[in-house]
Coordinates of all heavy atoms in Angstrom, one line a residue:
A49 N -22.6 10.3 -1.9 CA -22.0 10.3 -3.3 C -23.0 9.6 -4.2 O -23.8 8.7 -3.8 CB -20.7 9.5 -3.3
A50 N -23.1 10.1 -5.4 CA -23.9 9.5 -6.4 C -23.5 8.1 -6.7 O -22.3 7.8 -6.7 CB -23.9 10.3 -7.7
S51 N -24.5 7.2 -6.9 CA -24.2 5.8 -7.1 C -23.5 5.6 -8.4 O -24.0 6.0 -9.5 CB -25.4 5.0 -7.0 OG -25.3 3.7 -7.5
L52 N -22.3 5.0 -8.5 CA -21.6 4.7 -9.7 C -22.5 3.7 -10.5 O -22.6 3.8 -11.7 CB -20.2 4.1 -9.4 CG -19.4 3.7 -10.7 CD1 -19.2 4.9 -11.5 CD2 -18.1 3.1 -10.2
E53 N -23.1 2.8 -9.9 CA -24.0 1.8 -10.6 C -25.1 2.5 -11.3 O -25.3 2.2 -12.5 CB -24.5 0.8 -9.5 CG -25.4 -0.2 -10.2 CD -26.1 -1.1 -9.1 OE1 -26.6 -0.6 -8.1 OE2 -26.2 -2.3 -9.3
Q55 N -25.1 5.6 -12.3 CA -24.5 6.4 -13.4 C -24.3 5.5 -14.6 O -24.6 5.8 -15.8 CB -23.2 7.0 -12.9 CG -22.4 7.7 -14.0 CD -21.0 8.0 -13.6 OE1 -20.8 8.2 -12.4 NE2 -20.1 8.1 -14.5
L56 N -23.7 4.3 -14.4 CA -23.3 3.4 -15.5 C -24.6 2.8 -16.1 O -24.6 2.6 -17.3 CB -22.4 2.4 -15.0 CG -21.0 2.8 -14.5 CD1 -20.2 1.7 -13.9 CD2 -20.2 3.5 -15.6
R76 N -4.3 -2.5 -15.2 CA -5.0 -1.9 -14.0 C -6.2 -2.7 -13.7 O -6.5 -2.9 -12.5 CB -5.3 -0.4 -14.3 CG -4.2 0.5 -14.5 CD -4.5 1.9 -14.2 NE -5.6 2.4 -15.0 CZ -5.5 3.2 -16.1 NH1 -4.2 3.5 -16.5 NH2 -6.5 3.6 -16.8
L80 N -7.4 -4.6 -10.1 CA -8.8 -4.5 -9.5 C -9.4 -5.9 -9.2 O -10.0 -6.2 -8.2 CB -9.7 -3.7 -10.3 CG -9.4 -2.2 -10.3 CD1 -10.2 -1.5 -11.4 CD2 -9.7 -1.5 -9.0
Q83 N -8.3 -7.6 -6.1 CA -8.4 -7.0 -4.8 C -9.4 -7.8 -3.9 O -10.5 -8.1 -4.3 CB -8.9 -5.5 -5.0 CG -8.0 -4.6 -5.7 CD -6.7 -4.5 -4.9 OE1 -6.7 -4.4 -3.7 NE2 -5.6 -4.4 -5.7
Y85 N -11.3 -6.8 -1.6 CA -12.6 -6.2 -1.2 C -13.6 -6.4 -2.4 O -14.8 -6.3 -2.1 CB -12.4 -4.7 -0.9 CG -11.9 -3.9 -2.0 CD1 -12.7 -3.4 -3.0 CD2 -10.5 -3.5 -2.1 CE1 -12.2 -2.6 -4.1 CE2 -10.0 -2.7 -3.1 CZ -10.9 -2.2 -4.1 OH -10.4 -1.4 -5.1
L86 N -13.2 -6.7 -3.6 CA -14.2 -7.0 -4.6 C -14.6 -8.5 -4.7 O -15.6 -8.8 -5.2 CB -13.6 -6.6 -6.0 CG -13.5 -5.2 -6.3 CD1 -12.8 -4.9 -7.6 CD2 -14.8 -4.5 -6.2
G191 N -24.6 -4.4 -7.2 CA -24.0 -3.2 -6.5 C -22.5 -3.3 -6.2 O -22.0 -2.4 -5.7
L192 N -21.9 -4.4 -6.6 CA -20.4 -4.5 -6.4 C -19.7 -3.4 -7.1 O -18.6 -3.0 -6.7 CB -19.9 -5.9 -6.9 CG -20.1 -7.0 -5.9 CD1 -19.5 -8.3 -6.6 CD2 -19.4 -6.8 -4.6
V193 N -20.2 -2.9 -8.2 CA -19.6 -1.9 -9.0 C -19.4 -0.6 -8.2 O -18.5 0.2 -8.4 CB -20.3 -1.6 -10.3 CG1 -21.7 -0.9 -10.0 CG2 -19.5 -0.7 -11.2
N194 N -20.2 -0.4 -7.1 CA -20.1 0.8 -6.3 C -18.9 0.8 -5.4 O -18.5 1.8 -4.8 CB -21.4 0.9 -5.4 CG -22.5 1.4 -6.2 OD1 -22.4 2.2 -7.1 ND2 -23.7 0.9 -5.8
L195 N -18.2 -0.4 -5.3 CA -16.9 -0.5 -4.6 C -15.7 0.1 -5.5 O -14.7 0.3 -5.0 CB -16.6 -1.9 -4.2 CG -17.6 -2.5 -3.2 CD1 -17.2 -4.0 -3.0 CD2 -17.6 -1.7 -1.9
L196 N -16.0 0.3 -6.8 CA -15.0 0.9 -7.6 C -15.0 2.5 -7.4 O -16.0 3.0 -6.9 CB -15.3 0.6 -9.1 CG -15.3 -0.9 -9.4 CD1 -15.7 -1.0 -10.9 CD2 -13.9 -1.5 -9.2
A197 N -13.9 3.1 -7.8 CA -13.8 4.5 -7.5 C -14.6 5.3 -8.5 O -15.2 6.3 -8.1 CB -12.3 4.9 -7.5
D198 N -14.6 4.9 -9.8 CA -15.2 5.8 -10.8 C -15.3 5.0 -12.1 O -15.1 3.8 -12.1 CB -14.3 7.0 -11.1 CG -12.8 6.7 -11.3 OD1 -12.5 5.5 -11.8 OD2 -11.9 7.5 -11.1
R199 N -15.8 5.7 -13.1 CA -16.1 5.1 -14.4 C -14.8 4.5 -15.0 O -14.9 3.4 -15.6 CB -16.7 6.1 -15.3 CG -17.2 5.6 -16.7 CD -17.8 6.7 -17.5 NE -18.4 6.2 -18.7 CZ -17.7 6.1 -19.9 NH1 -16.5 6.5 -19.9 NH2 -18.4 5.7 -21.0
Q200 N -13.7 5.1 -14.8 CA -12.5 4.7 -15.4 C -12.1 3.3 -14.9 O -11.6 2.4 -15.6 CB -11.3 5.7 -15.2 CG -10.0 5.3 -15.8 CD -10.1 5.1 -17.3 OE1 -10.5 6.0 -18.0 NE2 -9.7 3.9 -17.8
Q201 N -12.3 3.1 -13.5 CA -12.0 1.8 -13.0 C -12.9 0.7 -13.5 O -12.5 -0.4 -13.8 CB -12.1 1.8 -11.4 CG -10.9 2.5 -10.8 CD -10.7 2.1 -9.3 OE1 -11.7 1.6 -8.7 NE2 -9.6 2.4 -8.8
F202 N -14.1 1.1 -13.8 CA -15.1 0.1 -14.4 C -14.6 -0.2 -15.8 O -14.6 -1.4 -16.2 CB -16.5 0.7 -14.5 CG -17.5 -0.2 -15.1 CD1 -18.1 -1.2 -14.4 CD2 -17.8 0.0 -16.5 CE1 -19.0 -2.1 -15.0 CE2 -18.7 -0.8 -17.1 CZ -19.3 -1.9 -16.4
L203 N -14.1 0.8 -16.6 CA -13.6 0.5 -17.9 C -12.4 -0.4 -17.8 O -12.2 -1.3 -18.6 CB -13.3 1.8 -18.6 CG -14.5 2.7 -18.9 CD1 -14.0 4.0 -19.6 CD2 -15.6 2.1 -19.6
D204 N -11.5 -0.2 -16.8 CA -10.3 -1.0 -16.7 C -10.6 -2.4 -16.4 O -10.1 -3.3 -17.0 CB -9.4 -0.4 -15.6 CG -8.8 1.0 -15.9 OD1 -8.8 1.3 -17.1 OD2 -8.4 1.7 -15.0
L205 N -11.6 -2.6 -15.5 CA -12.0 -4.0 -15.1 C -12.6 -4.7 -16.3 O -12.3 -5.9 -16.6 CB -12.9 -3.9 -13.9 CG -13.5 -5.3 -13.4 CD1 -12.3 -6.1 -13.0 CD2 -14.5 -5.1 -12.3
S279 N -16.6 9.2 5.0 CA -16.1 9.6 3.7 C -16.3 8.5 2.7 O -16.2 8.8 1.5 CB -14.6 9.9 3.8 OG -13.9 8.7 4.3
L280 N -16.7 7.3 3.1 CA -16.9 6.2 2.1 C -18.4 5.8 2.2 O -18.8 5.2 3.2 CB -16.0 5.0 2.5 CG -14.5 5.2 2.3 CD1 -13.8 3.9 2.7 CD2 -14.2 5.6 0.9
P281 N -19.1 6.0 1.1 CA -20.5 5.7 1.1 C -20.8 4.2 1.4 O -21.9 3.9 1.9 CB -21.0 6.2 -0.2 CG -20.0 7.2 -0.7 CD -18.7 6.7 -0.1
T282 N -19.9 3.3 1.0 CA -20.1 1.9 1.1 C -19.9 1.4 2.5 O -20.2 0.2 2.9 CB -19.2 1.1 0.2 OG1 -17.8 1.5 0.4 CG2 -19.5 1.4 -1.3
P675 N -2.2 1.9 -11.3 CA -3.5 2.1 -10.8 C -3.6 3.1 -9.7 O -2.6 3.5 -9.1 CB -3.8 0.7 -10.2 CG -2.5 0.1 -9.9 CD -1.5 0.7 -10.9
R676 N -4.8 3.7 -9.5 CA -5.0 4.7 -8.5 C -4.7 4.1 -7.1 O -5.2 3.1 -6.8 CB -6.4 5.3 -8.6 CG -6.6 6.1 -9.9 CD -8.0 6.6 -10.0 NE -8.2 7.7 -9.0 CZ -9.3 8.4 -8.8 NH1 -10.3 8.1 -9.6 NH2 -9.4 9.3 -7.9
R677 N -3.9 4.9 -6.4 CA -3.7 4.5 -5.0 C -4.7 5.0 -4.0 O -5.0 4.4 -3.0 CB -2.3 5.0 -4.5 CG -1.1 4.3 -5.3 CD 0.2 5.0 -4.8 NE 1.4 4.1 -5.2 CZ 2.6 4.5 -5.0 NH1 2.9 5.6 -4.4 NH2 3.6 3.7 -5.4
W678 N -5.3 6.2 -4.4 CA -6.2 6.8 -3.5 C -7.5 7.2 -4.3 O -7.7 8.3 -4.6 CB -5.6 8.1 -2.9 CG -4.2 7.8 -2.4 CD1 -3.9 7.2 -1.2 CD2 -3.0 8.3 -3.0 NE1 -2.5 7.1 -1.1 CE2 -1.9 7.8 -2.2 CE3 -2.7 9.0 -4.1 CZ2 -0.6 8.1 -2.5 CZ3 -1.4 9.3 -4.4 CH2 -0.3 8.8 -3.6
P679 N -8.4 6.2 -4.5 CA -9.5 6.5 -5.4 C -10.6 7.4 -4.8 O -11.4 8.0 -5.5 CB -10.1 5.1 -5.7 CG -9.7 4.3 -4.5 CD -8.3 4.8 -4.1
E680 N -10.6 7.5 -3.5 CA -11.7 8.3 -2.9 C -11.4 9.7 -3.1 O -10.3 10.2 -2.8 CB -11.8 8.0 -1.3 CG -12.1 6.6 -1.0 CD -10.9 5.6 -1.0 OE1 -9.8 6.1 -1.3 OE2 -11.1 4.4 -0.6
V681 N -12.4 10.5 -3.5 CA -12.4 11.9 -3.5 C -13.3 12.4 -2.4 O -14.4 12.1 -2.3 CB -12.9 12.5 -4.9 CG1 -13.0 14.0 -4.9 CG2 -12.0 11.9 -6.0
L682 N -12.7 13.2 -1.5 CA -13.4 13.7 -0.3 C -14.0 15.0 -0.5 O -13.6 15.9 -1.3 CB -12.4 13.7 0.9 CG -11.5 12.5 1.0 CD1 -10.6 12.6 2.2 CD2 -12.4 11.2 1.2
K683 N -15.1 15.3 0.2 CA -15.9 16.5 0.0 C -15.9 17.3 1.4 O -16.0 16.7 2.4 CB -17.3 16.2 -0.4 CG -17.5 15.4 -1.6 CD -17.1 16.1 -2.9 CE -17.4 15.3 -4.2 NZ -17.1 16.1 -5.4
P707 N -9.5 8.6 4.9 CA -9.2 7.1 5.0 C -7.8 6.8 5.3 O -7.5 5.7 5.7 CB -9.6 6.6 3.7 CG -10.6 7.6 3.1 CD -10.1 8.9 3.6
W708 N -6.8 7.7 5.0 CA -5.4 7.4 5.2 C -4.8 8.0 6.5 O -3.6 7.9 6.7 CB -4.6 7.9 4.0 CG -5.3 7.6 2.7 CD1 -5.4 6.3 2.2 CD2 -6.2 8.4 2.0 NE1 -6.2 6.4 1.1 CE2 -6.7 7.6 0.9 CE3 -6.6 9.8 2.0 CZ2 -7.6 8.2 0.0 CZ3 -7.4 10.3 1.1 CH2 -7.9 9.5 0.1
Q764 N -8.7 15.6 -3.6 CA -8.1 14.3 -4.1 C -6.6 14.3 -3.8 O -5.8 15.2 -4.1 CB -8.2 14.3 -5.6 CG -7.7 13.0 -6.2 CD -7.8 12.9 -7.8 OE1 -8.3 13.9 -8.4 NE2 -7.3 11.9 -8.4
R765 N -6.2 13.2 -3.1 CA -4.8 13.0 -2.8 C -4.1 12.5 -4.0 O -4.5 11.5 -4.6 CB -4.7 12.0 -1.6 CG -3.3 11.9 -1.0 CD -3.3 10.7 0.0 NE -2.1 10.8 0.9 CZ -1.7 9.8 1.6 NH1 -2.3 8.6 1.6 NH2 -0.6 9.9 2.4
D800 N -5.2 9.7 -14.9 CA -6.2 9.4 -13.8 C -6.1 10.4 -12.6 O -6.8 10.2 -11.7 CB -6.0 7.9 -13.3 CG -4.6 7.7 -12.6 OD1 -3.9 8.7 -12.5 OD2 -4.3 6.6 -12.2
G801 N -5.4 11.4 -12.8 CA -5.3 12.4 -11.8 C -4.2 12.3 -10.7 O -3.9 13.2 -10.0
E802 N -3.6 11.1 -10.6 CA -2.6 10.8 -9.6 C -1.2 10.9 -10.2 O -1.0 10.7 -11.4 CB -2.8 9.5 -8.9 CG -4.1 9.4 -8.1 CD -4.1 8.1 -7.2 OE1 -3.1 7.4 -7.2 OE2 -5.1 7.9 -6.5

Side-chain angles (χ1 to χ4, degrees):
S51 164
L52 178 62
E53 180 186 46
Q55 172 193 336
L56 296 173
R76 295 200 302 260
L80 287 169
Q83 291 301 319
Y85 62 84
L86 287 179
L192 278 179
V193 70
N194 287 324
L195 296 176
L196 300 175
D198 51 26
R199 185 178 187 271
Q200 182 58 54
Q201 284 200 343
F202 178 80
L203 298 181
D204 292 341
L205 180 60
S279 59
L280 295 182
T282 55
R676 294 179 66 179
R677 290 176 167 179
W678 313 287
E680 298 86 355
V681 176
L682 310 181
K683 304 290 186 179
W708 314 284
Q764 181 183 358
R765 195 186 194 194
D800 64 2
E802 289 189 8

